[in-house]
Amino acid sequence: MTDSLALPAGPMGQWPTLEPGWVWLCGAGPGDPGLLTLHAVNALRQADVVIYDALVQEAILDWAPQAEHVYAGKRGGKPSAKQRDISLRLVDLAREGKRVLRLKGGDPFVFGRGGEEAQTLIQHGVNVRIIPGISAGIGGLAYAGIPVTHRDVNQSVTFVTGHDQSGATPQSLNWKAIAEGAQVLVIYMGMKHVAQISGALMDAGRPADEPVAVVCNATTDRQQVLETTLGRMVTDIDAAGLEPPAILCVGRSVLMRQVLDWQGLAAGEAPRNLDPLGRGRPAEAS
Ligand code: SAH
């Protein structure tokens, strides 16, 4: 364990400087501060003001003790900020000559409205830098021991959002086509409409016994993982009292958790099944 993180020389010998009047739009990863990128840490150290979303863990703000921390989340309970207001606030702060860090959960360009904010900033003549982050649908599943691709299971992944701006299941999504075409499906913001989503997938032919994982608060100390199936997921989520934020993963890669639940293994549990896909083992180099 180390209690400090001195950055060695960065790309081209120097880490970029967050100049006054600039906005850096940065992903904070799914929760665990260890999943911040080095560019994110470099940004946190320089910012005058950090505007952060609901899904950004408080512990991450500790990396910017010198900065003012401004909450701009939209999650239940706390007052919501309108997207346009947030974008214009960023413009104002930049024009005041602040070094502005806009911090978003996961990756800013994955269901994070990062594109909209960056566009508004650029339309107002503000300089931006984009810092990608680890998205919950990849890193969060990895913390649950689920590889988002696995050679024996899938050669593609489909990322979808379970609700749109109005909170409804997106009309623009063709669930039948998704059900028919997606090998493994990773669903963000799916908890509100889990009954419609699972129903639509089964109506379109996905089997009721298809494995599903629900990963709540992934990578945080409140992480919860439920293994269920398409047919049982509504009842099981309810029975377990699971709440958002959660990633839903539909597909056989979920079975790999039976061998890859590395957090369970680290806590002393035995692997449940060394070969959950029944491919024979050991799989020697091939
Ligand atoms: N830009 C983010 C996604 C924002 S949309 C990213 O790349 O991860 C918000 C949704 O992301 C949540 O409803 C949930 O589905 C998912 N999410 C974000 N953080 C999560 C976490 N720690 N655990 C589980 N799901 C998470």
Side-chain angles (χ1 to χ4, degrees), residues 3-272:
D3 54 11
S4 73
L5 187 66
L7 296 185
M12 319 297 283
Q14 244 184 343
W15 289 95
T17 303
L18 175 45
E19 303 282 358
W22 279 63
V23 177
W24 284 7
L25 189 61
C26 175
D32 180 350
L35 297 178
L36 288 167
T37 64
L38 294 178
H39 275 302
V41 171
N42 178 49
L44 283 158
R45 287 181 173 179
Q46 297 182 67
D48 295 320
V49 49
V50 180
I51 314 251
Y52 65 99
D53 277 351
L55 289 173
V56 173
Q57 301 293 304
E58 298 281 326
I60 284 173
L61 300 172
D62 293 345
W63 289 75
Q66 81 290 346
E68 184 190 350
H69 302 162
V70 179
Y71 175 74
K74 308 191 195 65
R75 199 152 277 272
K78 304 189 185 176
S80 77
K82 290 217 170 61
Q83 187 59 47
R84 185 167 169 73
D85 294 348
I86 297 171
S87 298
L88 293 178
R89 175 102 194 254
L90 294 172
V91 172
D92 286 345
L93 287 165
R95 287 187 174 158
E96 285 167 24
K98 294 272 175 26
R99 300 170 178 86
V100 185
L101 175 56
R102 174 68 173 122
L103 202 56
K104 288 175 160 287
D107 183 286
F109 279 4
V110 179
F111 302 128
R113 303 194 187 184
E116 290 160 63
E117 287 183 25
Q119 183 180 15
T120 305
L121 289 162
I122 291 168
Q123 284 171 343
H124 284 80
V126 176
N127 291 313
V128 301
R129 181 184 184 100
I130 308 295
I131 303 177
I134 295 181
S135 192
I138 298 177
L141 291 179
Y143 265 43
I146 300 168
V148 80
T149 74
H150 187 70
R151 198 170 54 162
D152 290 334
V153 174
N154 61 324
Q155 290 70 45
S156 68
V157 191
T158 305
F159 295 101
V160 304
T161 173
H163 63 72
D164 62 15
Q165 280 176 339
S166 69
T169 324
Q171 294 297 317
S172 53
L173 280 180
N174 181 340
W175 286 100
K176 186 165 185 300
I178 289 171
E180 287 168 2
Q183 291 182 302
V184 167
L185 195 52
V186 176
I187 305 169
Y188 292 69
M189 295 175 272
M191 292 291 264
K192 191 168 164 201
H193 299 302
V194 69
Q196 289 97 308
I197 292 168
S198 56
L201 291 172
M202 288 186 290
D203 285 350
R206 299 291 284 230
D209 63 358
E210 182 160 7
V212 172
V214 182
V215 187
C216 301
N217 294 302
T219 83
T220 74
D221 52 11
R222 288 166 290 119
Q223 175 172 304
Q224 280 177 289
V225 185
L226 171 72
E227 291 172 51
T228 176
T229 62
L230 266 185
R232 287 201 328 263
M233 65 189 293
V234 173
T235 322
D236 286 354
I237 287 172
D238 199 41
L242 297 183
E243 300 275 351
I247 288 288
L248 312 176
C249 179
V250 181
R252 284 172 61 249
S253 37
V254 166
L255 298 177
M256 289 302 290
R257 179 172 153 79
Q258 295 173 11
V259 61
L260 297 182
D261 175 16
W262 56 274
Q263 290 186 325
L265 300 181
E269 289 168 20
R272 278 176 287 157

